[in-house]
Amino acid sequence: MTSPEPAHARISIIGAGPGGLTCARILQQRGIAVTVYDRDSGPGARNQGGTLDLHADNGQIALREAGLLDEFFKLARPEGQEMRKMDSAGTVTFHHVPEADELFKPEIDRGQLRTLLLDSLHPGTLHWGRALDAVSGPADGPRQLSFADGTTIETDLVIGADGASSRVRPAASPAVPEYTGVSFLEAWFSDVENRHPDLAELVGSGSAGAADGDRGLFAQRNSGDHIRVYVIRRTPVDWLASSGLTTDDTDGIRALLLDEYAHWSPRMRQMITTNDGPYVDRPLFALPVPHTWEHNPTVTLLGDAAHLMPPLGVGVNLAMLDASELALALANAATVDDAIRVYEKTMLPRSIEMAKALEGGAEHLLSADVPEHF
């Protein structure tokens, strides 16, 4: 099959996260039709997670290409760039307070960013409740997408923007994410100025973290008077089951954590004792390094589907930069095949370089001597 012109191609994006939505927005701005499919039943089906810092040298570049940078700055929290590093006693060992005009990496809630991108798309772009099962069909196209609801569609280009557990990735690469040995346990705190004032003062306007070499705590201020805390531990991926616990057993998990963090100060332990509601288990996975694949004229990947790495502040930014570069390549190339070649020629070396730099980086989250830039 001859690769079609992008303007006449059937382009399907799997995943309505920041990367997929950024790609769709820029394509539509350049007059290229695109359809996005997402497994969620709708935009409010689940909590979108915590806060993100969008960097001037990648995430903000993508938003500028999408024509949404001014709208982003209306929502962003520059004060969220404040960072405190502490020890297990709660003593501040490093403190960054942003300048009044500092805009290198302001914070925005993930849900706010997603809404900004969703609202920028043409009506009917999103198809909700479409969980992809598999990609089939010849490598030179057309491809067939099979969904869990029994429906199928034919498409000329599949863009996998569906994250760590990508169902598009197997059509490009046999690689599967591997457990890093480090796990996050997420805890939520609401109405913090009234209900958790000591925690609010401890965290400040941005983020605060501490580690002792074996375990850590990282707290992030979110909008709406919320704080999220990530309890960071080196532990087997099945630690809950092996401890005889489930995610619903908040008291049991809390007792286990209090034992593990017994030598930390009471002020620091409030991050694991006064949370509102249950914990959320988030084991950290990463793709093998380097991760690459043979060129395919009908399938490509972006974001975590392409280069899942430890959560050290680059994931969403790289996903959005990937999305922008792929969309612009499609807008400027003669064929879809040509566009994918141009995109992957830049994206793959960049992601490999970054993945090598961050390989084993989950351990940095536990180090008491981690450099401030992490």
Side-chain angles (χ1 to χ4, degrees):
M1 173 183 169
T2 302
S3 184
E5 297 178 28
H8 300 131
R10 295 165 294 181
I11 299 175
S12 301
I13 296 174
I14 308 300
L21 297 178
T22 298
C23 189
R25 162 68 176 181
I26 296 174
L27 285 172
Q28 288 184 344
Q29 277 198 306
R30 271 71 180 176
I32 297 176
V34 60
T35 306
V36 181
Y37 300 91
D38 194 88
R39 66 184 305 113
D40 286 351
S41 60
R46 60 186 173 87
N47 190 290
Q48 291 302 301
T51 184
L52 306 166
D53 54 339
L54 291 193
H55 300 184
D57 54 0
N58 36 48
Q60 291 181 40
I61 290 174
L63 286 176
R64 183 178 295 109
E65 293 292 349
L68 297 173
L69 190 59
D70 289 343
E71 295 302 312
F72 161 72
F73 281 124
K74 292 177 183 178
L75 298 169
R77 302 189 310 280
E79 69 278 7
Q81 296 170 103
E82 181 183 3
M83 177 64 191
R84 300 178 183 183
K85 180 183 172 185
M86 299 175 287
D87 59 21
S88 60
T91 301
V92 176
T93 59
F94 170 81
H95 190 190
H96 171 70
V97 179
E99 298 291 338
D101 59 350
E102 187 174 328
L103 295 174
F104 179 72
K105 53 176 184 176
E107 297 282 337
I108 185 172
D109 283 12
R110 185 180 288 266
Q112 291 177 314
L113 177 62
R114 193 193 202 199
T115 299
L116 172 64
L117 290 163
L118 283 172
D119 289 349
S120 75
L121 298 179
H122 299 166
T125 302
L126 260 293
H127 289 226
W128 299 105
R130 306 295 289 276
L132 182 71
D133 272 344
V135 180
S136 59
D140 61 351
R143 291 292 192 154
Q144 182 170 287
L145 304 179
S146 301
F147 295 95
D149 61 5
T151 60
T152 60
I153 67 143
E154 196 173 80
T155 190
D156 299 310
L157 172 60
V158 188
I159 299 172
D162 49 343
S165 301
S166 172
R167 301 307 294 265
V168 178
R169 191 189 297 121
S173 162
V176 295
E178 300 170 354
Y179 180 51
T180 64
V182 175
S183 185
F184 279 9
L185 199 61
E186 184 176 322
W188 301 344
F189 300 80
S190 301
D191 191 20
V192 294
E193 296 296 339
N194 293 317
R195 301 183 63 248
H196 306 280
D198 193 43
L199 178 64
E201 190 279 327
L202 183 70
V203 174
S205 299
S207 301
D212 66 5
D214 294 311
R215 60 196 61 77
L217 294 171
F218 186 75
Q220 287 183 317
R221 177 79 67 153
N222 290 201
S223 66
D225 207 21
H226 298 285
I227 286 175
R228 288 176 191 257
V229 169
Y230 300 92
V231 184
I232 310 169
R233 302 154 62 238
R234 188 183 295 110
T235 186
V237 69
D238 63 347
W239 70 273
L240 272 172
S242 63
S243 301
L245 299 169
T246 68
T247 52
D248 296 327
D249 190 355
T250 300
D251 290 339
I253 294 173
R254 185 172 288 147
L256 183 149
L257 294 176
L258 283 172
D259 182 62
E260 290 187 7
Y261 286 76
H263 67 285
W264 287 51
S265 71
R267 192 173 188 222
M268 297 298 285
R269 288 203 304 271
Q270 68 179 306
M271 296 190 199
I272 58 176
T273 60
T274 62
N275 51 301
D276 303 321
Y279 301 93
V280 181
D281 187 32
R282 299 194 185 281
L284 303 184
F285 288 81
L287 280 165
V289 181
H291 178 230
T292 187
W293 56 87
E294 293 295 325
H295 169 75
N296 189 305
T298 55
V299 175
T300 194
L301 307 172
L302 63 81
D304 284 351
H307 42 69
L308 179 65
M309 304 176 202
L312 292 167
V314 299
V316 169
N317 283 284
L318 286 185
M320 294 175 69
L321 184 61
D322 291 349
S324 174
E325 291 178 347
L326 175 55
L328 293 175
L330 286 163
N332 293 312
T335 69
V336 168
D337 188 4
D338 291 341
I340 295 174
R341 290 183 186 276
V342 168
Y343 162 65
E344 291 179 350
K345 185 177 180 180
T346 298
M347 182 275 291
L348 286 172
R350 178 179 63 226
S351 64
I352 290 170
E353 179 182 8
M354 183 64 72
K356 286 180 177 178
L358 298 185
E359 189 172 13
E363 289 292 323
H364 286 304
L365 299 166
L366 301 170
S367 173
D369 299 319
V370 63
E372 282 77 13
H373 68 268
F374 282 117

